[in-house]
Amino acid sequence: MTVLYQHGTLELIMAGLYDGTTTFQSILAHGNTGIGTMDQLDGEVTVLNGDVYQTTSDGRTKKVDNLNLETPFISIHLESKDQINVNYDTLNFNQLSSETDKFKNVPASIKLHGTFNNLKVRVAPKQTKPYPNFVSVSATQPTFEYKNIVGTLIGDFAPDLYTGIMANGWHLHFLSDDFNVGGHVLDFEAINVGGSIALFDQLIIGLPVNNSDFLDHKPDSGDIRAAIEQAER
């Protein structure tokens, strides 16, 4: 097994702490594949083969060349030594969720390539202070639907044990082969899918200890599971 590195926690994003607190240059020291967001919650970030891509709320995707830009929340990893190679003739979100029984309490990630007959994504729009919480943002965030698009599904699975630190269940992003389409995946149906599911025996959390909003933050853990379900699904 190997390390899944994450900067920040999902609870901080749910509470509206969107200021970037580490650079992408620093993040890439921990891996080459991952998902996250930008400073001020400016869209969805997908890291593939060591390159960083940003999908903005107008539906456009571009490579991030300035690695000094910052993120408040991202997870990243290298190839796991303990991974399961998988192939599916057909696959959808519900089927993927059924795969998680074998993980038990172990965090996992997925990287799957295929043809997506139907794909629905959402993209968080850039926010300005005073920041609303993420449930409020998610209520008005734009969604996009695509058909017959070829690309890669990248994301993490968190058992309930890690709720609040990570998003319990699957947290998935998509990036098309031409790098023009991306986003946070809400639903999909795909064919000719192949790739791997990686398991991790180490979860390392980098905390924004130099950020005053983080140091002063008082979490409301009682409602975190319901809030994640409402905003992320």
Side-chain angles (χ1 to χ4, degrees):
M1 295 191 186
T2 189
V3 176
L4 178 63
Y5 180 86
Q6 180 177 291
H7 177 79
T9 69
L10 189 65
E11 193 279 332
L12 298 177
I13 294 297
M14 299 304 299
L17 277 68
Y18 305 143
D19 284 343
T21 48
T22 193
T23 66
F24 288 105
Q25 186 72 59
S26 297
I27 288 299
L28 289 173
H30 299 281
N32 56 20
T33 305
I35 58 174
T37 189
M38 300 284 291
D39 179 47
Q40 296 182 270
L41 203 69
D42 188 12
E44 311 296 328
V45 167
T46 305
V47 183
L48 180 63
N49 299 326
D51 291 324
V52 181
Y53 297 89
Q54 175 193 19
T55 303
T56 50
S57 59
D58 59 2
R60 299 181 181 180
T61 297
K62 64 181 180 180
K63 184 180 176 183
V64 177
D65 293 316
N66 181 3
L67 297 180
N68 288 319
L69 294 176
E70 295 186 329
T71 175
F73 178 77
I74 193 167
S75 63
I76 196 164
H77 61 88
L78 294 169
E79 183 176 348
S80 173
K81 297 176 182 177
D82 188 359
Q83 66 182 30
I84 305 165
N85 293 321
V86 293
N87 290 280
Y88 306 94
D89 292 332
T90 62
L91 184 68
N92 59 41
F93 213 133
N94 289 336
Q95 288 175 267
L96 185 60
S97 297
S98 69
E99 293 279 351
T100 60
D101 289 344
K102 66 188 70 170
F103 306 155
K104 304 300 182 181
N105 285 327
V106 179
S109 72
I110 201 163
K111 181 180 176 182
L112 296 176
H113 185 269
T115 299
F116 291 74
N117 296 335
N118 293 288
L119 174 70
K120 184 177 182 180
V121 301
R122 59 93 164 150
V123 182
K126 185 177 182 179
Q127 302 297 304
T128 57
K129 287 187 171 180
Y131 295 137
N133 63 39
F134 191 67
V135 169
S136 298
V137 172
S138 68
T140 59
Q141 63 190 348
T143 61
F144 303 90
E145 296 189 28
Y146 303 95
K147 291 185 179 296
N148 303 320
I149 186 167
V150 180
T152 303
L153 198 67
I154 296 173
D156 302 325
F157 171 79
D160 287 347
L161 179 65
Y162 308 102
T163 299
I165 298 174
M166 304 170 71
N168 58 296
W170 285 110
H171 177 194
L172 303 174
H173 286 195
F174 176 84
L175 187 64
S176 63
D177 279 3
D178 61 9
F179 309 114
N180 289 327
V181 172
H184 172 105
V185 176
L186 297 175
D187 200 9
F188 73 88
E189 296 176 346
I191 60 173
N192 302 325
V193 178
S196 61
I197 299 173
L199 305 178
F200 302 98
D201 63 353
Q202 296 185 63
L203 172 61
I204 296 178
I205 308 296
L207 298 174
V209 296
N210 295 316
N211 179 269
S212 60
D213 289 339
F214 167 72
L215 295 176
D216 295 336
H217 176 57
K218 296 180 180 179
D220 182 3
S221 58
D223 293 333
I224 185 64
R225 184 186 300 274
I228 291 172
E229 188 66 27
Q230 180 177 346
E232 292 291 322
R233 314 294 184 230

